[in-house]
Amino acid sequence: DTGVSQNPRHKITKRGQNVTFRCDPISEHNRLYWYRQTLGQGPEFLTYFQNEAQLEKSRLLSDRFSAERPKGSFSTLEIQRTEQGDSAMYLCASSLMQGGEQPQHFGDGTRLSIL
Amino acid sequence: DAKTTQPNSMESNEEEPVHLPCNHSTISGTDYIHWYRQLPSQGPEYVIHGLTSNVNNRMASLAIAEDRKSSTLILHRATLRDAAVYYCILQNDFGNEKLTFGTGTRLTIIP
């Protein structure tokens, strides 16, 4: 178990630029989740995948955001035309299967700063 | 989503037990009680979960009230490395997949 890996750890970009983050889940986990966390708040759900299918998207996920999980392995989260309000920590998590007993395993996130 | 209520902050002395409370009065019969913690500059880390009975693992113990409307996370001997934000979350066996985090309890350990 090598854990959930996220890259990059930090990203600084100018407003209006596009950014892409990558998440590599624990290898046997078929569920993958994206969350966003702003300072002083708990993480907020953005979207999740079961294998390659994106099954739920939060209203927080505006049309500037897109997530993919090709082949049901790693996932990418892209933000187009970044805005100041996009500055946050973006967290990825994975879990083995459905059910209330299954914990989610989180990566250490990508911190995005918009100049 | 069923909601939980936790104190905003708590302090404890190093090497003493810590009891972190959580109220979840609207819990349903299929909701599991999960605890996660988040250390500075890290993602949340799973700590423990339970349904009805008390649970123990290498990190902590979870005491669940008989009516399941509250629970307590117990750290038996706090260390400085236990300083973190602790989140109590209900996760339904048949419902939403997402975790709904509140603001949690910020635990400070006093050396």
Side-chain angles (χ1 to χ4, degrees), chain A residues 23-70:
Chain A
C23 172
D24 287 272
I26 294 172
S27 58
E28 65 268 25
H29 286 184
N30 60 8
R31 296 198 165 223
L32 186 147
Y33 310 80
W34 285 99
Y35 293 82
R36 182 174 72 183
Q37 185 173 26
T38 54
L39 203 60
Q41 302 298 313
E44 296 174 291
F45 170 79
L46 291 178
T47 188
Y48 90 93
F49 293 83
Q50 178 169 310
N51 300 314
E52 66 276 7
Q54 188 173 17
L55 296 186
E56 186 176 348
K57 293 194 288 187
S58 161
R59 285 174 294 176
L60 293 175
L61 213 66
S62 76
D63 57 4
R64 297 185 297 106
F65 288 70
S66 62
E68 294 183 341
R69 192 184 182 197

Side-chain angles (χ1 to χ4, degrees), chain A residues 104 106, chain B residues 35-39 42-48 58-59:
Chain A
Q104 294 184 16
F106 285 80
Chain B
W35 284 81
Y36 287 78
R37 72 180 185 180
Q38 189 171 21
L39 279 65
Q42 295 186 20
E45 173 188 28
Y46 165 77
V47 177
I48 199 167
R58 63 176 179 81
M59 291 180 70

Side-chain angles (χ1 to χ4, degrees), chain B residues 6-96:
Chain B
Q6 300 177 252
N8 287 333
S9 62
M10 291 183 63
E11 288 185 349
S12 180
N13 294 321
E14 192 178 11
E15 300 186 2
E16 292 189 356
V18 182
H19 292 237
L20 296 165
C22 181
N23 288 319
H24 28 79
S25 59
T26 59
I27 192 170
S28 76
T30 53
D31 283 332
Y32 283 80
I33 302 160
H34 283 252
W35 284 81
Y36 287 78
R37 72 180 185 180
Q38 189 171 21
L39 279 65
S41 300
Q42 295 186 20
E45 173 188 28
Y46 165 77
V47 177
I48 199 167
H49 76 277
L51 183 62
T52 56
S53 302
N54 295 344
V55 184
N56 300 296
N57 67 20
R58 63 176 179 81
M59 291 180 70
S61 296
L62 176 60
I64 301 173
E66 196 169 334
D67 64 5
R68 300 187 70 236
K69 294 185 176 182
S70 65
S71 61
T72 302
L73 179 71
I74 302 166
L75 307 178
H76 294 286
R77 190 167 169 272
T79 70
L80 295 177
R81 288 174 294 179
D82 291 322
V85 178
Y86 287 78
Y87 297 99
C88 168
I89 300 170
L90 301 182
Q91 188 167 341
N92 193 274
D93 208 20
F94 302 104
N96 292 329

Side-chain angles (χ1 to χ4, degrees), chain A residues 21-23 25 32 34 49 67-70 73-77:
Chain A
F21 312 138
R22 176 179 171 126
C23 172
L32 186 147
W34 285 99
F49 293 83
E68 294 183 341
R69 192 184 182 197
S73 55
F74 71 92
S75 176
T76 58
L77 178 67

Side-chain angles (χ1 to χ4, degrees), chain A residues 69-85:
Chain A
R69 192 184 182 197
K71 304 178 183 178
S73 55
F74 71 92
S75 176
T76 58
L77 178 67
E78 181 183 15
I79 309 174
Q80 296 182 326
R81 305 180 303 282
T82 53
E83 300 173 356
Q84 292 283 353

